[in-house]
Structure formats: structure tokens, C-alpha cells
Amino acid sequence: MKGTHPRSLLILLGALWLAPSPALAQNLALPDFDSLNECESVELKAESMDCNAKRCELNGNVNLQCATFNVFADHVTIYLAPEFQFNGATARGSVTLIQDTTLIRCSQLTIDPNRIKGRVKAAEVYLKKRSAAKDPNGRNNAILHGDFERTAPAQFTISDGDFTLCDCQEAPPSWRLDAPKITVKTGERATIWWPTFRINLFGQGLVPITPPLAPLSVPLQNRTMGMLAPSIKILGFPFPMVDVPFFIPLGRSYDLTLSPGMRFDWGSHSPSPSHWGASRLGTRFRY
């Protein structure tokens, strides 16, 4: 029923209103969206659907599917404008949104009436190495938490969030960057603004080890200039050396890695704590 005329849609929704029943693969015709959305219709699947003149309530294993994304939820409310045109939706419960290599989990998701644009509070965002639709449990390229807002089809912003490249499954990450703002262009790079670097020291939980740093650009694809995963070495227990490597590709076959960092092992031969730390810069050139 893709592209259903509003008069035919009126008959469909009227029948559903008078006799609520399990609804599978029903389509709602949508107004024209701009090129950002590429969503001419939405396909709805649910165990039950109850509609009136202003809204439709979908319950149980709900799937709201557009050409560019999929939303799965326990409950979805669809708001209707005159002539039963789509006027936005709210997904609640255990919500999952899948688009390309991005998978988002949250408890509530809002979809705007005039454009398909997700706004999510307290979201878990997984950037997959491959298509999230084909392999939602596949390996993660990066993991983020925070308040999510999509600004373009392949761009989004995380506010008051955190970022890690550590694909640790259910275990706490070995390191994490906390930041007031993180901007991501999927498949290319993430920019972490004024991050605080935290490490899971000896498995006792994440603790901050730096003040807010300058913005960092982290590549999300191979051989792209940007920050690599931080390196932690124990030279003399319990004094660590922490590096934040920065990768610079030099053509197809050469690259340079600069590793500014701090070493804290001077405590083994200096009685004064003020002399325990010292900055360092490591370099590595590869062919």
C-alpha cells in the first residue's frame, strides 16, 4: 500500500478504529520529505494496532520501517494530522534504531513530523564495522553514550557523553573519553570536544587521569589521520606510562605515529611526589 491515496488511507484507518485487531505490514502514506530523509512511506508491523482520528497506538513487537532506517520497540504512538497524514511518532520501551552501520538503544525515541530525525535521551550508540541491519550483534568500531541528535543522514552529535574504541562486550572498557560534546560522521571520524581521559586502573573502575584536553579527532576508518587508542604501560609497578598516539598516514605505504604522553615511574627513584611525573613524546615511522 506504499503511496496510498489519503481517501483510501481514511477507509483503512477507519476500519482499524472500529475493529482493533492484530496489524501486520500496514503502510501509512507520508507527505513528501526533503532529500535528507528519503522516506516516502512507513511500513508498520505490530501485534495490535488501535487508531482514532488523531493517533494510532501500536503495541507488542512493533517495527516501524522506512527505506533508510528501522525502529523496533515495545510501544509506538503515531500522531496523525488532518486527512490522516503522518504527524510524528514516539517509540517507548526497549527501543532499537538501526541505520546503516549505526545501532542505537534507548528507552524512548521521538520522530519529527516534517522530517525523519531522531532525538534520544540517554542513548547507547554502537558504530558497527559492518551493516547493523545484517549483523546487529557484530563487532563494534566505537561505542558512545549520551544524549543523541542526528543532524544529517551520516552525522550526529552526542551531548554530555562518552566515547571508547574498546569493544569490551559487557565488561567495562579499559579506557574512555568523557566530553560535553562529541560530533560523529559515521564511517569517517569522531571529534571529541574538551575530553577527559579515564582509565580502568587495575580493573577497579574508570578514574580520570587528565584535566579537559584539547579537541581530539579520532578516525573511524583505516589509514585516516587521527588519534588511536591510548596506550598504557607499567614500567615499574605501580607507576604507569600513558601515551595518546596520533596516526599520520604518509601515502599508501608510509606512516608516522606521534605519541605524546606522561610517565609516572620516577617515583621509584624520587621521594618527592611532585617529581614523579614527566611528559614524554614517542615517535614511530613505518614502511
Side-chain angles (χ1 to χ4, degrees):
M1 295 177 60
K2 185 173 181 179
T4 303
H5 190 276
R7 187 178 300 277
S8 301
L9 183 61
L10 176 63
I11 297 173
L12 166 66
L13 292 180
L16 289 172
W17 180 17
L18 294 174
S21 61
L24 300 177
Q26 302 294 340
N27 287 0
L28 290 180
L30 298 185
D32 292 335
F33 288 94
D34 56 28
S35 58
L36 172 67
N37 308 293
E38 301 176 357
C39 198
E40 295 179 353
S41 69
V42 169
E43 181 178 345
L44 304 173
K45 298 180 182 179
E47 294 178 1
S48 65
M49 177 189 293
D50 186 6
C51 296
N52 57 34
K54 295 183 178 180
R55 67 176 62 188
C56 282
E57 298 288 347
L58 289 80
N59 294 291
N61 297 317
V62 182
N63 177 205
L64 187 155
Q65 183 175 358
C66 171
T68 57
F69 68 87
N70 253 327
V71 173
F72 300 89
D74 296 328
H75 313 281
V76 172
T77 300
I78 296 178
Y79 305 100
L80 302 173
E83 298 189 1
F84 292 93
Q85 292 295 307
F86 181 81
N87 196 34
T90 300
R92 301 178 303 279
S94 179
V95 182
T96 300
L97 182 147
I98 296 176
Q99 183 171 12
D100 298 326
T101 57
T102 303
L103 187 149
I104 302 171
R105 291 195 176 102
C106 58
S107 59
Q108 182 166 311
L109 169 70
T110 299
I111 300 174
D112 284 351
N114 63 333
R115 61 174 57 188
I116 300 301
K117 178 181 177 183
R119 295 194 305 271
V120 187
K121 291 288 187 180
E124 299 178 358
V125 182
Y126 301 87
L127 302 181
K128 300 290 183 178
K129 292 184 178 293
R130 298 180 178 85
S131 170
K134 294 181 179 179
D135 189 8
N137 296 317
R139 294 184 59 190
N140 298 306
N141 205 19
I143 302 173
L144 303 92
H145 297 86
D147 295 341
F148 170 99
E149 183 171 5
R150 186 176 299 282
T151 55
Q155 297 180 8
F156 62 86
T157 299
I158 294 286
S159 302
D160 297 322
D162 58 67
F163 173 96
T164 183
L165 297 174
C166 178
D167 189 7
C168 307
Q169 303 302 322
E170 299 299 327
S174 58
W175 65 274
R176 194 180 75 188
L177 293 170
D178 292 5
K181 179 180 177 181
I182 304 170
T183 55
V184 178
K185 189 168 185 180
T186 56
E188 294 189 19
R189 64 178 59 250
T191 303
I192 298 95
W193 300 88
W194 318 116
T196 299
F197 182 37
R198 294 173 178 265
I199 62 172
N200 191 354
L201 194 61
F202 310 120
Q204 299 301 307
L206 290 158
V207 295
I209 64 169
T210 69
L213 305 172
L216 298 174
S217 178
V218 182
L220 299 175
Q221 59 181 344
N222 294 332
R223 296 194 63 80
T224 300
M225 181 183 298
M227 191 196 80
L228 303 178
S231 171
I232 303 172
K233 299 178 182 178
I234 304 296
L235 299 180
F237 186 83
F239 303 103
M241 181 171 69
V242 181
D243 291 339
V244 183
F246 191 85
F247 179 75
I248 305 173
L250 304 173
R252 293 174 60 89
S253 303
Y254 297 86
D255 60 66
L256 176 68
T257 302
L258 302 177
S259 301
M262 292 286 293
R263 59 184 303 169
F264 300 95
D265 60 325
W266 297 107
S268 60
H269 50 76
S270 174
S272 174
S274 62
H275 297 157
W276 286 4
S279 58
R280 66 182 302 275
L281 176 64
T283 60
R284 183 175 64 176
F285 178 78
R286 299 190 307 174
Y287 169 71

